[in-house]
Amino acid sequence: MAILVDANTKVICQGITGDYGAQHTRGCLHYGTKLVGGVTPGKGGQTDPNGLPIWDTVDSAVRETGATATMIFVPPPFAADAILEAAYAGVSLICCITEGVPVQDMIRVRAVLDEMNATRSLKGGFGSLNTPRITLVGPNCPGVITPGPKTGTGESPKNTFTNAGCKIGIMPGYIHTHISQAKRKKSVGIVSRSGTLTYEAVWQTSNLGLAQSSCVGIGGDPVRGLNHIETIKLFEADPETDAILMIGEIGGSDEIDAAHYVKAHVRKPVAAFIAGRTAPPGRRMGHAGAIIGGTDDTADAKIAALKTAGVTVAMSPAEMGKAVAEAMGL
Amino acid sequence: MKIHEYQARDLLASFGIAVPAGRMIDRADDAAAAFAEVTKGQASPLAVVKAQVHAGGRGKAGFVKLVRTAAEASEAAMFMLRNRMVSPQTPPEGLVVNKLLIAAGVDIADRASEHGAKEEFYLAVTLDRKARRNVLIASRFGGVDIEQVAHDHPDAIIKEWLHPTLGLQRYQAAKVAFALGFKGKQVNQAVSTMMNLARLFIAKDCDLAEINPLIITPPTKDAPDGLVLAIDAKFNFDENAMFRHKDIEVLHDPSEDNPAESRAAAYHLSYVALDGDIGCLVNGAGLAMATMDIIKLHGGEPANFLDVGGSASEQAVTEAFSIILSDPRCKGILVNIFGGIMRCDVIAHGIINAARNYKQRTGNTFPVPLVVRLEGTNVAEGRKLLNAAAGEIPGMQAATDLADAAKRVCSAVN
């Protein structure tokens, strides 16, 4: 199933009646995602323009539809609450697209999710052994996609782009390639802190005849859900992923931690690109987390650690596809 | 978001942290009265006059002055409000100073354990990204840059992590106070200072709350162990949380901002001015950084970071062009768009409007070469629009991919 999501994943949208929520609900439906409804408090019982049912609470949406994943488009002041509501309603994959969530909110949310997950792995703890762990992706991210083979134009819910893929988020679906339609019959798993730079990487790999198993945008905030290491771990264990492409940027130690992890535990070919070699220290470059404080925050320190770990590093953003192909010996 | 020192002092005081007497003035005429007020009760009056600007290097520039009389205070105030402050951290023409802080001078006790040293400490709360928790950082080396301390005396940096929901606990603050060498009645003062700073940090959504230096005053009859006082403080706030802190938001001083950056912010564009000559207009922060990087790889220098975001309107794109062109160093522009949410036709309309606006204003076509690379959502429509308008933008070139775009703009500029 590649990682995190597949053609059978049932998805709801929190904030389905907002501008962005509505726009991307349509986008996901047109791609072929099994989007089964949405949540907007106070609009329960109504339907959205696509005919999808709307609920007042995540709890009722999950109970009625059996959804296991959610994409969150609520405004920043309510995003932390939306994540917790989804977690307590039993949703196991929470993609928070919202940009601009306060850091202190995310510290508290992460602590709660970590605690819920810790008890889930304990016998006799809160929940049961069968309760799946909760995975948070984001916030401030493009979401997750597991591409399916192109079967249509993607112009309407009747003529979806694919009948066997799942897109949760805001990425353009059509640039992705399924392995059945890739010349080289190899799939790359992509993990990235940036949205458009991921699209660039997808585009380059597709143009080189490579497929993508799944692409995960982990987001540009300093405190978030999935990080590079956890996503790389999932790709390493996934039989449908042949190689891993990691896209990082200045700020934080995630990429250096990932480099150590790759060296010790990853057998698949890994390539990387780090954005921000020319970024001045002390200035925030768009993303809340993209700021150079100490020396470990710099692109050069991250690149050096990755090279030491045997990762093929693209020095130019135009060569991300080439780097992963090279790492695979193609 | 940063605030001024006088505002930081007020904020500390409102959370129960002791600071020396002080008053903000914006007219030299008020200096004498402020001096009298803050030195009231001192045996030999001493105050410090400090220019309120965010740039460092104030002391060396003569914008921090010790004064012993009201006349000296007036003289210093007059000098600072009438002259621009020039330091290595200001633009070459210097900064206008609009506000001054006049604070009571305080003596610092000698440190018994270290010959020649004073009782000065460093105290801060900030985010530890890796731990995903807030952390209290303290050091017995105060009054100097913490990076310097980390480099010279890494063992002298003490850290205590705040519980994500409970915050800093009293036992943690006490542990730090004892480790820093506080004694007797100083301990409780230091503990409350730390507890209050941690409370303030969370309550106001800070990125950084720093007291440097925290000092102990020499013993007196009333305070035989001296007083623990915060002399200077620095705050950074999480801009994403300002929606719930209107009281902090109003402290923002727009006169301290880069004018191009505030113009960009008004249109929700993320813009950072840099030193080079190639203007960049990109969607997405990661791609915008990568675009700067690839310009440099091809021998050019980026003039700015500019992320138009995912949902920019045609008008915002037009404004982005106008901001880039207002930089006199700009000799060429690279537009790099990978349409996701952002549609390429919206960008194309923005480019064409910007060219027409420029023509209307100046009578000329775009003054610098323009390289456009479009890919993604509605790319065919975007390219068609630009081709049709090519006659209006003679310096425009279309690039096939990212590398081609960088090559073209670098050779057009050099």
Side-chain angles (χ1 to χ4, degrees), chain B residues 61-266:
Chain B
F63 280 70
V64 174
K65 263 210 153 77
L66 278 175
V67 292
R68 293 178 188 283
T69 62
E72 279 179 24
S74 300
E75 194 188 332
M78 212 148 8
F79 169 80
M80 291 182 201
L81 291 170
R82 284 188 186 165
N83 292 284
R84 283 166 170 268
M85 181 187 120
V86 182
S87 86
Q89 291 183 39
T90 66
E93 72 276 14
L95 290 175
V96 176
V97 177
N98 296 315
K99 294 184 172 86
L100 306 174
L101 171 69
I102 301 190
V106 284
D107 284 331
I108 305 174
D110 291 322
R111 186 168 281 168
S113 58
E114 258 169 277
H115 183 67
K118 296 275 187 186
E119 291 283 28
E120 293 185 278
F121 304 86
Y122 175 93
L123 207 57
V125 182
T126 190
L127 167 71
D128 179 343
R129 288 172 71 151
K130 194 169 177 162
R132 293 188 300 268
R133 287 181 181 215
N134 302 310
V135 61
L136 172 76
I137 301 174
S139 157
R140 66 175 197 279
F141 296 99
V144 287
D145 215 0
I146 192 69
E147 279 83 18
Q148 196 59 45
V149 178
H151 183 265
D152 298 344
H153 307 279
D155 295 345
I157 292 185
I158 304 169
K159 291 183 178 180
E160 280 292 324
W161 282 266
L162 278 61
H163 187 279
T165 51
L166 300 177
L168 186 71
Q169 299 301 296
R170 198 170 179 86
Y171 79 89
Q172 295 179 293
K175 198 164 124 189
V176 174
F178 287 118
L180 289 174
F182 285 92
K183 300 223 161 31
K185 293 198 164 138
Q186 299 161 2
V187 175
N188 269 347
Q189 296 180 59
V191 167
S192 3
T193 303
M194 288 180 228
M195 298 292 287
N196 287 331
L197 189 66
R199 200 162 52 84
L200 190 171
F201 177 90
I202 309 267
K204 298 296 178 189
D205 279 286
C206 299
D207 278 339
L208 172 74
E210 178 186 89
I211 297 175
N212 190 20
L214 181 77
I215 62 127
I216 306 175
T217 61
T220 61
K221 202 161 82 229
D222 293 337
D225 290 332
L227 294 173
V228 176
L229 292 180
I231 298 300
D232 201 350
K234 194 165 117 190
F235 289 98
N236 275 333
F237 298 94
D238 180 356
E239 280 168 35
N240 287 340
M242 284 303 106
F243 66 84
R244 58 189 174 206
H245 300 298
K246 299 296 173 211
D247 58 327
I248 301 293
E249 206 173 20
V250 297
L251 301 180
H252 177 68
D253 180 356
S255 73
E256 292 272 339
D257 296 341
N258 173 313
E261 289 176 15
S262 0
R263 239 177 102 188

Side-chain angles (χ1 to χ4, degrees), chain A residues 20 77 100 102-105 107 110 114 170 174 196 200 203 257 276-278 283-284 286 289 315-317, chain B residues 129-130 132 134 201 205 207 238 240 243-244 261 270 283-284 287 290 292-294 297 311 341 373 375-376:
Chain A
Y20 292 125
V103 174
Q104 295 302 321
D105 288 5
I107 289 178
R110 258 310 295 255
D114 289 349
I170 62 176
Y174 75 92
T196 44
E200 181 72 46
W203 182 247
D257 299 341
R277 289 184 72 201
T278 53
R283 298 301 308 269
R284 221 169 271 285
M315 297 310 282
S316 160
Chain B
R129 288 172 71 151
K130 194 169 177 162
R132 293 188 300 268
N134 302 310
F201 177 90
D205 279 286
D207 278 339
D238 180 356
N240 287 340
F243 66 84
R244 58 189 174 206
E261 289 176 15
S270 178
N283 68 322
L287 192 60
M292 288 158 43
D293 295 347
I294 201 170
L297 275 178
S311 52
I341 328 176
R373 186 273 178 137
E375 204 59 75

